[in-house]
Structure formats: structure tokens, C-alpha cells
């Protein structure tokens, strides 16, 4: 793979860079998206914290001109983000639960998993996925760093080991007799600050004939659909197939199949195996998506450095709409308090003066306030009593589910607003 810029080129956008690529250690000099500063995306505030200082961190993604890994700096230790009371619970999205059920059904059949098999999920959250394996009588184990999420999983009957996953955890589990026929990780690879340690752990824990599947948002779709709000401190990396193949190959693992998924605005699921396991040939899908990425310029630095222009257009369109609606006397509320909303709202400077509140199905967030913007988070039924003219859908990846859920709002003429990939008003 060749790149169009050499190390001698000046960065395309002047800014302080982070030291080196977290995969290949190449100096990082090229800006992908500069989003100013932002707090941690899940650091919701209690009312008594509103009069206190809130920490903000630079939110600036760079691209490596050697391996094309897009990444942000690690300003906050992962233990501080995930090791305490983590606010994200996977079980509050019906469509995600169904996606997980379908995955378990598919992979059980594809790998002929049964009672003698062992499944390990990395970043298993509240047991939302593994409970499906438990119901099938398949031995499973979750590895989850957030104690509050792990406790919920255990209450569901899902065995869970509380730890950050990496080489040392993999060795510890291996010594306990764990060796996986299937290791899976959904939306975790991007959350890992030490990518090499994480993938190295998979190599250790996977059986000789085992399969690892990883799902993550596809960088190609992020760029194509302006999904810059998925950039935040908890997401250290943004991944293409081109880059992921390099990362796993460096640890003796081969990507032998890949699927495109609609989840999270466009994701891919990779299937990897030990390089020594030749029983699983590399599929045509791998070659097809790799060539697609190359044809769209993901092997050229200039493609990445031009993304900032798309980001700024989305911001300008969204803020202009909110200001015009407010000046026209319209009432605005939002739906959802996902991590991506913290990035979008802080980057755009949107606060309670433009959006009165947001609602969320997760009771953990009720009565709290959005990080940085301090927009109140309320139960979903608050929408009915407020009767807004516009409802901004912040988790745009769940737009269809949310529009269906709030269909009753049409009785007073409410319209839905989706800011990404471009401003859209749903009548």
C-alpha cells in the first residue's frame, strides 16, 4: 500500500499533534478532524455538580500516514472512563438487542457451537448478547471492565470477569482453562487505547481452530456520511479494513471474512483466525471491500485531511436551523443522550437555550445533565407534556426506531430533525 505524502511533507492543518501512532508508532502529523474541546461523553452531571468546574479535553483526531489508523490522544486513562460507574447499557435499544439475537443464531450455526464449545465476549457490558448463548446451553464468559455493567450481567446469569482485556488478562484466563472457540467483540476495538495489547490477547486466548469476530463502525462510512460525532475520548481509534488487516496480521491473525452491517450508521464485522489455520480461506468479501476502500482514496492521506470541510458544513447547517427555529418561537427538545451527542452538541455550542432538554430510555441518566452542554436529561414521557414543535434525534443510527416510537407526537404536528449525515426535517 502506498501513500501520497512523505514524512518530509508539512501537516495539512497546523495543530499540536500526538506523539506516535498507537499501532505502528509512526509520528502523527496529519489532522483528520479538529473538534475543539469536549468533556468525556458519558460523564453526566448531577444537579449539585452544575456549579463546579468540568474537565474538557482536546478532541482532535489525526491520521497515520503509514498505516492510516485514525486516532485521538489518550488524555484520560481507560480505567477512569470504564472502570467505575459507566453510563452506557446496551439493553436499552430494541434494535440492538435484535441485532445481537440474530448474530448469536447465525454464528452458532456457522461454527456449529454446542455445549462443549466456549464463547468469550470482550466488553460484554450488561450481558445483553451472552444471555442468548446461556439460553442455548453454550458455555460463555464475559470480560467487562465496568463493575456496574458486570453486576447487571451476573444478575442475568451471565458469568462475567471484571477486567480490562489484554495480554495479561488473556494469560490469566488461559491458566484457568479458558480457550475459546469463539471470541467476539462488538464496538470495543475502537475503545481500546493499547490496540496491540488487545489484539495480542486475542491471539493467546483463541483456540487453534477458533474464530474471532469483531464489529466496529466502518471508517469509510463515517467519512462518507459525515459521522464526526462518533469521535470522542472513549473512541481512541477509527478503523478501516485496510488498517485492521495490518493490525491483526502483526499479531499472527488473518482476516478471512468480512460483512457489511447497517448498525451504528454503517459497520463491518470481521472474522479472523490464526495464520496457521488454513482451513478457512480468505473470502471474496475481503478482497471486495479492500478494493472499495482503495478506490475511495483510503490509501491516500489527502482523502483524510479533506474531511474537516464536511464537518464544518454539518455544524453550520445544524446551528443555523436551531437559531432560525428559536427565533421563530418554536419549541425544541431532543431524543437520546448517547456519547455521540456530547461531541455534536459541544462542537456546535448547543445548550439549553436552543434545545430545552433531551429524553432517554435509560433511567440511569434521568435527572442528570449532558456533559459540557448541561442540557437536562428526562424520561421519554416528558416529550408528551412539553409538546415540542421539533424533536432532534441525537442517536441518528436509531432514527427509524425512534420515529416509530414517537409516532404519537404527530398529533400536535411535531417534526423530527436529524442533523447527520446532513440536516433533514422529517415531516
Amino acid at each position: 500500500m502506498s501513500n501520497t505524502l512523505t514524512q518530509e511533507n508539512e501537516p495539512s492543518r497546523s495543530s499540536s499533534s500526538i506523539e506516535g501512532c498507537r499501532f505502528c508508532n509512526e509520528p502523527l502529523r496529519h489532522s483528520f478532524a479538529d473538534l475543539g474541546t469536549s468533556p468525556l461523553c458519558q460523564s453526566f452531571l448531577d444537579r449539585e455538580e452544575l456549579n463546579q468546574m468540568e474537565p474538557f479535553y482536546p478532541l482532535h483526531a489525526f491520521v497515520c500516514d503509514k498505516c492510516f489508523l485514525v486516532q485521538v490522544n489518550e488524555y484520560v486513562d481507560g480505567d477512569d472512563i470504564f472502570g467505575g460507574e459507566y453510563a452506557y447499557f446496551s439493553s436499552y435499544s430494541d434494535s440492538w438487542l435484535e441485532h445481537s439475537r440474530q448474530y448469536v443464531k447465525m454464528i452458532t450455526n456457522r461454527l456449529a457451537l454446542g455445549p462443549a464449545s466456549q464463547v468469550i465476549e470482550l466488553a460484554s457490558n450488561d450481558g445483553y448478547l451472552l444471555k442468548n448463548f446461556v439460553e442455548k446451553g453454550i458455555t460463555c464468559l464475559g470480560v467487562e471492565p465496568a463493575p456496574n455493567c458486570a453486576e447487571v450481567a451476573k444478575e442475568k446469569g451471565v458469568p462475567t470477569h471484571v477486567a480490562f482485556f489484554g495480554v495479561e488478562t488473556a494469560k490469566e484466563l488461559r491458566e484457568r482453562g479458558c480457550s475459546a472457540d469463539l471470541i467476539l467483540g462488538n464496538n470495543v476495538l475502537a475503545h481500546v487505547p493499547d490496540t496491540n495489547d488487545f489484539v495480542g490477547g486475542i491471539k493467546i486466548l483463541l483456540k487453534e481452530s477458533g474464530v474471532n469476530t469483531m464489529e466496529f463502525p466502518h471508517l469509510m462510512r463515517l467519512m462518507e456520511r459525515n459521522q464526526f460525532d462518533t469521535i470522542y475520548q472513549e473512541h481512541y481509534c477509527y478503523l478501516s479494513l485496510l488498517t485492521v488487516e495490518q493490525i491483526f496480521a502483526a499479531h499472527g491473525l488473518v482476516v478471512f471474512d468480512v460483512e457489511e452491517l447497517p448498525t451504528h450508521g454503517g459497520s463491518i464485522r470481521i472474522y479472523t483466525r490464526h495464520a496457521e489455520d488454513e482451513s478457512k480461506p480468505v473470502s471474496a468479501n475481503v478482497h471486495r471491500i479492500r478494493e472499495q476502500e482503495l478506490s475511495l482514496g483510503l490509501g491516500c492521506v489527502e482523502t483524510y485531511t479533506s474531511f474537516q470541510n464536511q464537518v464544518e458544513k454539518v455544524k453550520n447547517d445544524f446551528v443555523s436551523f436551531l437559531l432560525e427555529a428559536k427565533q421563530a418561537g418554536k419549541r425544541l427538545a431532543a431524543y437520546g443522550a448517547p456519547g455521540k451527542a456530547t461531541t455534536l452538541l459541544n462542537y456546535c455550542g448547543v445548550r439549553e437555550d436552543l434545545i430545552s432538554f433531551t429524553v432517554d430510555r435509560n433511567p440511569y441518566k434521568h435527572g442528570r445533565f449532558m456533559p459540557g452542554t448541561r442540557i437536562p436529561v428526562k424520561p421519554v414521557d416528558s416529550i408528551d407534556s412539553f409538546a415540542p414543535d421539533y424533536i432532534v434525534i441525537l442517536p441518528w443510527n436509531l432514527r427509524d426506531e425512534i420515529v416509530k416510537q414517537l409516532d404519537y407526537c404527530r398529533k400536535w404536528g411535531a417534526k423530527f430533525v436529524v442533523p447527520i449525515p446532513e440536516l433533514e426535517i422529517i415531516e
Side-chain angles (χ1 to χ4, degrees):
M1 185 190 310
S2 63
N3 52 285
T4 59
L5 298 184
T6 64
Q7 293 185 18
E8 287 73 26
N9 289 120
E10 290 298 318
S12 59
R13 184 180 175 91
S14 61
S15 177
S16 59
S17 65
I18 45 186
E19 291 183 0
C21 174
R22 57 174 33 93
F23 165 56
C24 69
N25 206 37
E26 188 78 4
L28 295 174
R29 303 171 298 109
H30 303 285
S31 176
F32 176 69
D34 186 351
L35 304 176
T37 61
S38 185
L40 298 181
C41 73
Q42 296 291 350
S43 57
F44 292 87
L45 302 170
D46 293 321
R47 183 170 296 278
E48 56 269 21
E49 296 176 294
L50 295 180
N51 199 35
Q52 299 175 12
M53 184 184 73
E54 189 176 358
F56 278 61
Y57 305 92
L59 189 55
H60 192 169
F62 289 81
V63 60
C64 175
D65 59 12
K66 181 179 179 182
C67 68
F68 302 106
L69 178 63
V70 174
Q71 55 207 283
V72 299
N73 200 7
E74 182 187 359
Y75 290 102
V76 184
D77 188 88
D79 190 57
D80 293 329
I81 298 174
F82 305 107
E85 289 291 311
Y86 192 54
Y88 179 77
F89 289 81
S90 299
S91 292
Y92 288 107
S93 169
D94 295 336
S95 59
W96 184 248
L97 291 177
E98 179 58 27
H99 171 77
S100 302
R101 282 192 289 268
Q102 292 300 323
Y103 166 81
V104 171
K105 178 180 178 181
M106 177 278 298
I107 201 69
T108 299
N109 293 333
R110 178 167 177 166
L111 302 185
L113 300 174
S117 305
Q118 183 164 49
V119 174
I120 296 176
E121 182 182 8
L122 312 179
S124 50
N125 200 258
D126 59 6
Y128 71 99
L129 186 148
L130 287 182
K131 68 178 184 179
N132 296 287
F133 284 113
V134 171
E135 292 170 359
K136 291 178 176 292
I138 297 173
T139 301
C140 63
L141 176 68
V143 181
E144 169 57 44
N148 62 320
C149 295
E151 190 59 36
V152 174
K154 292 175 183 178
E155 291 172 0
K156 296 176 181 177
V158 176
T160 305
H161 179 64
V162 180
F164 285 91
F165 185 76
V167 168
E168 289 306 314
T169 299
K171 289 179 178 178
E172 178 186 346
L173 293 175
R174 191 78 189 225
E175 290 172 0
R176 295 184 184 182
C178 292
S179 183
D181 298 278
L182 170 65
I183 297 177
L184 70 108
N186 291 347
N187 301 310
V188 58
L189 193 57
H191 289 77
V192 177
D194 191 339
T195 305
N196 289 312
D197 182 59
F198 185 84
V199 178
I202 294 173
K203 174 71 175 178
I204 292 170
L205 201 54
L206 191 66
K207 282 185 180 178
E208 292 181 1
S209 60
V211 170
N212 161 239
T213 72
M214 306 295 292
E215 292 183 24
F216 48 86
H218 194 181
L219 177 61
M220 184 178 77
R221 299 303 178 196
L222 182 156
M223 298 171 69
E224 177 184 74
R225 300 171 184 174
N226 302 326
Q227 297 164 355
F228 67 88
D229 59 340
T230 59
I231 298 173
Y232 39 86
Q233 294 297 336
E234 290 86 338
H235 280 178
Y236 300 105
C237 298
Y238 306 85
L239 302 156
S240 65
L241 178 61
L242 291 171
T243 298
V244 165
E245 283 191 291
Q246 296 177 67
I247 294 171
F248 279 78
H251 296 277
L253 297 165
V254 173
V255 178
F256 71 89
D257 200 5
V258 60
E259 298 172 357
E260 294 183 280
L261 307 169
T263 53
H264 296 284
S267 299
I268 56 175
R269 176 190 294 144
I270 61 168
Y271 294 72
T272 73
R273 44 116 170 133
H274 290 288
E276 300 81 8
D277 179 10
E278 298 181 355
S279 66
K280 305 174 182 67
V282 176
S283 75
N285 288 335
V286 176
H287 301 292
R288 176 179 59 82
I289 295 177
R290 185 194 304 132
E291 289 304 312
Q292 185 180 13
E293 290 183 348
L294 288 171
S295 69
L296 292 174
L298 267 66
C300 300
V301 170
E302 291 124 330
T303 303
Y304 298 89
T305 57
S306 65
F307 182 64
Q308 184 76 32
N309 295 329
Q310 299 172 223
V311 170
E312 292 172 2
K313 184 180 186 306
V314 171
K315 173 182 179 176
N316 293 337
D317 290 347
F318 182 45
V319 173
S320 295
F321 163 77
L322 294 176
L323 290 171
E324 291 171 7
K326 198 71 175 181
Q327 289 168 358
K330 302 299 183 181
R331 296 153 65 88
L332 292 96
Y335 187 105
K340 58 173 65 73
T342 298
T343 294
L344 176 69
L345 297 175
N346 280 282
Y347 175 60
C348 294
V350 176
R351 291 178 170 76
E352 194 176 352
D353 57 335
L354 294 177
I355 294 178
S356 297
F357 61 88
T358 189
V359 300
D360 199 274
R361 292 178 64 184
N362 186 349
Y364 181 87
K365 301 176 183 180
H366 296 166
R368 295 186 171 189
F369 298 81
M370 291 291 294
T373 65
R374 306 188 173 199
I375 292 173
V377 184
K378 300 182 178 183
V380 175
D381 58 14
S382 298
I383 288 281
D384 199 11
S385 57
F386 185 65
D389 299 292
Y390 292 103
I391 302 170
V392 180
I393 297 178
L394 296 173
W396 41 258
N397 53 304
L398 303 175
R399 54 176 287 171
D400 294 340
E401 177 182 331
I402 292 168
V403 168
K404 182 178 180 181
Q405 180 187 340
L406 298 183
D407 184 65
Y408 67 89
C409 297
R410 299 180 189 276
K411 67 185 178 184
W412 65 76
K415 300 175 183 178
F416 298 98
V417 181
V418 185
I420 288 176
E422 59 186 7
L423 187 71
E424 180 183 0
I425 312 297
I426 301 174
E427 298 288 343

